[in-house]
Amino acid sequence: MSVTKKEYKRITVKSLVDMKQHGEKISMLTAYDYSMAKIVDAAMVDVILVGDSASNVMAGHETTLPITLDQMIYHASSVIRAVKRALVVVDLPFGSYQSDPKEALRSAIRIMKESGAHAVKLEGGEEIKESVKRILRAGIPVMGHLGLTPQSIYKFGTYTVRAKDKQEAEKLIADAKMLERLGCFSIVLEKIPAALTKKVSDSLSIPTIGIGGGKHADGQVLVIHDLLGMTHEFHPRFLRRYMNLYDGMSEAISLYVNDVKKGDFPSDEEQY
Ligand code: KIV
C-alpha cells in the first residue's frame, strides 16, 4: 500500500492514533541504553520500547521475571537522554503492578518521574483492569499487551502461539475492547494467529502493534538484538534479521585480539 507519510517532529500517543487513521504503519523497536537509543531514534523509529526483555538480552536471564523496577528506570532514563523524536514506552516489570492498583500506580509514577518516559506498558487484560484504570486516571498513557505475555511464562509453560482456540481468542478480543474503552492508546499483540490480529485491529480505533502477530497489525515491534542478529541462537518464524551482527562483531573482535597479540596495534600513527 502506498501511503503519503505525514512529518511528525515528535511522536505522541495522538500521532499513533493519527497514523492508524491514515493507514500509516507504526514502527516500534526496543532499546535499553543511550547509544543504541540514539541510533534507533535517528533512524526515525516511531516508538522506542524499553522492554523488560532487557532482563534477557541485557542481563542474561532466562525470563523477563527477574528485572526490577529500579533496573527498568535505569534503562529508561538512559534511553530518554538519547531520544529527540520517538515516543518512549517503558514496561512495568513483573511484580511491580500485579498485587494491587495502588502499587501499580506507584510503580508507573516512579517510571514517569524518575526516567522521564512518555508512557508505560502492562501485560494482561481483565485481570489488571483496575490497575490500568488507576494509572490512566493519573494522566499516564498506557499501552496494553495481549496474547503471549512473557511475564506469565510459568502459567503458559511454553512460548508457543497463543489464542489458537476459540475460547482464548474470544477472551483476547474482549480484553482488547476493554483496554480501548478504558483509554489505552495502543495494544501489543504478541504471537497470535494473523487472522485474529486482523479481527482485533479492524475492531479497534486505537493501533495494534504486532510481534509474531502477522501483517494485519497497525504496526510492528522487534527486539533490537534480534533484528541486528546479535542473538544468533534465537530464530522464531516471525523474526526477520536485517544484519548478522553476531558474526560481524566476533570477526572484528578477533581481528583486534590478533593485532594486540602480534604487537600490530597500536601502530606508530596510533600513538602520541
Ligand atoms: O519486553 C519486550 O521487548 C516486549 C516486546 C516483545 C513487545 O514486551
Side-chain angles (χ1 to χ4, degrees):
M1 181 169 45
S2 116
V3 174
T4 321
K5 279 201 347 195
K6 203 166 135 182
E7 291 286 324
Y8 294 94
K9 266 200 155 145
R10 181 102 230 187
I11 306 292
T12 65
V13 295
K14 293 260 183 305
S15 327
L16 303 186
V17 177
D18 194 53
M19 285 180 193
K20 171 158 180 155
Q21 279 166 0
H22 290 91
E24 178 178 342
K25 295 274 189 183
I26 298 163
S27 58
M28 175 159 138
L29 257 187
T30 65
Y32 317 96
D33 67 88
Y34 175 84
S35 304
M36 196 70 101
K38 217 170 161 72
I39 299 170
V40 173
D41 190 48
M44 307 287 276
V45 166
D46 299 313
V47 186
I48 295 183
L49 173 67
V50 183
D52 58 0
S53 48
S55 179
N56 309 108
V57 295
M58 300 301 286
H61 293 295
E62 217 173 280
T63 72
T64 57
L65 275 67
I67 199 160
T68 66
L69 186 57
D70 284 338
Q71 288 165 340
M72 288 303 296
I73 291 170
Y74 168 77
H75 286 297
S77 40
S78 311
V79 166
I80 280 286
R81 282 193 283 275
V83 170
K84 292 195 164 64
R85 176 180 175 273
L87 181 84
V88 178
V89 181
V90 180
D91 267 334
L92 279 186
F94 177 71
S96 72
Y97 64 98
Q98 286 90 348
S99 42
D100 72 77
K102 277 192 192 160
E103 187 206 29
L105 177 59
R106 268 196 300 276
S107 302
I109 288 177
R110 278 202 61 201
I111 286 182
M112 301 297 282
K113 230 178 157 66
E114 295 176 38
S115 76
H118 310 135
V120 295
K121 175 162 83 59
L122 281 75
E123 294 183 6
E126 186 62 35
E127 320 73 38
I128 55 154
K129 182 176 174 183
E130 294 310 315
S131 297
V132 172
K133 264 195 197 165
R134 191 117 195 179
I135 296 170
L136 285 166
R137 234 188 287 139
I140 300 172
V142 174
M143 178 180 265
H145 184 155
L146 300 171
L148 176 66
T149 47
Q151 292 178 11
S152 306
I153 186 58
Y154 291 115
K155 184 175 99 184
F156 297 146
T158 73
Y159 286 101
T160 52
V161 181
R162 303 302 314 172
K164 287 205 312 207
D165 66 73
K166 194 162 170 251
Q167 201 183 350
E168 199 179 329
E170 277 170 2
K171 179 180 177 335
L172 190 144
I173 294 169
D175 281 342
K177 288 186 177 165
M178 183 272 295
L179 290 172
E180 174 172 66
R181 253 193 331 272
L182 291 183
C184 289
F185 68 91
S186 174
I187 303 173
V188 166
L189 298 175
E190 181 163 355
K191 248 183 158 183
I192 61 170
L196 180 58
T197 299
K198 177 161 171 43
K199 201 164 173 183
V200 174
S201 306
D202 288 351
S203 70
L204 300 179
S205 54
I206 58 169
T208 58
I209 311 284
I211 175 161
K215 61 170 111 168
H216 301 294
D218 302 302
Q220 298 292 330
V221 57
L222 284 176
V223 168
I224 185 125
H225 292 65
D226 299 337
L227 172 148
L228 295 176
M230 291 171 84
T231 48
H232 72 317
E233 68 288 352
F234 179 62
H235 30 74
R237 188 204 293 200
F238 69 77
L239 175 60
R240 185 179 295 180
R241 283 194 207 290
Y242 288 83
M243 273 189 100
N244 183 348
L245 208 48
Y246 185 94
D247 286 351
M249 285 175 77
S250 303
E251 205 179 306
I253 294 163
S254 300
L255 288 174
Y256 164 75
V257 171
N258 261 340
D259 286 351
V260 171
K261 296 281 180 196
K262 284 189 299 186
D264 267 8
F265 175 78
S267 65
D268 291 344
E269 292 73 37
E270 288 160 329
Q271 62 192 5
Y272 300 98

